Amino acid sequence: MAKYSTGSSGGGGGTNCELCGAESDSLRRASVAGAELEVCPDCAPHDDAQKTQRQQRSTRDTDSSSDSRDEPSRKQKAAQNVAKANPVWDDDSEHWEQDGTNYDDDPLPYLVSDYGETLVDSRRDAGLQRSELADELDVPEKDLLAVEQGRATQAGIGGGLIEALEDRLDVTLSE
């Protein structure tokens, strides 16, 4: 008799599935999570032996399909989809470069790991709003926001802004 029986007698012949409780005249023995149960046809796919057979067939199918290089693997397809979705990897980088940013003349220095939080804390300690600091330094507020959010590299912020922030707020943002 199964470890968790719903009432069928030890010899089988019960009418209720021991997994879902459904009535069925075609119950069969299955090993589900280590327990021997009498299950209906709907619950039969939960049989550990069937799962093992499906995995082995799937592995064989994958092995044979990997031999034929006609179709890319799932990992390759996923990588291709990510590459298509991310415009940073396109040849055209104008969409993310700032107008007038010259990386040779104004390189971004190596920044400390928590530079965004450090900047926010220092600005607040100085009693300044983001808009006030941006006006004072004559920079767009969105650039200051990018630095505060830790996106200086992605936003194309130059080293000049980092140096101006360090000087104005007497804070260390770069290494």
Side-chain angles (χ1 to χ4, degrees), residues 75-91:
K75 288 182 182 180
Q76 288 171 330
K77 286 180 185 177
Q80 289 170 350
N81 289 339
V82 168
K84 287 178 190 174
N86 194 338
V88 171
W89 294 309
D90 290 346
D91 290 335

Side-chain angles (χ1 to χ4, degrees), residues 98 101-103 106-109 143 147 152 155-164:
Q98 301 287 324
T101 302
N102 185 334
Y103 297 106
D106 193 17
L108 182 66
D143 286 356
V147 176
I157 303 300
L161 175 56
I162 301 300
E163 290 174 20

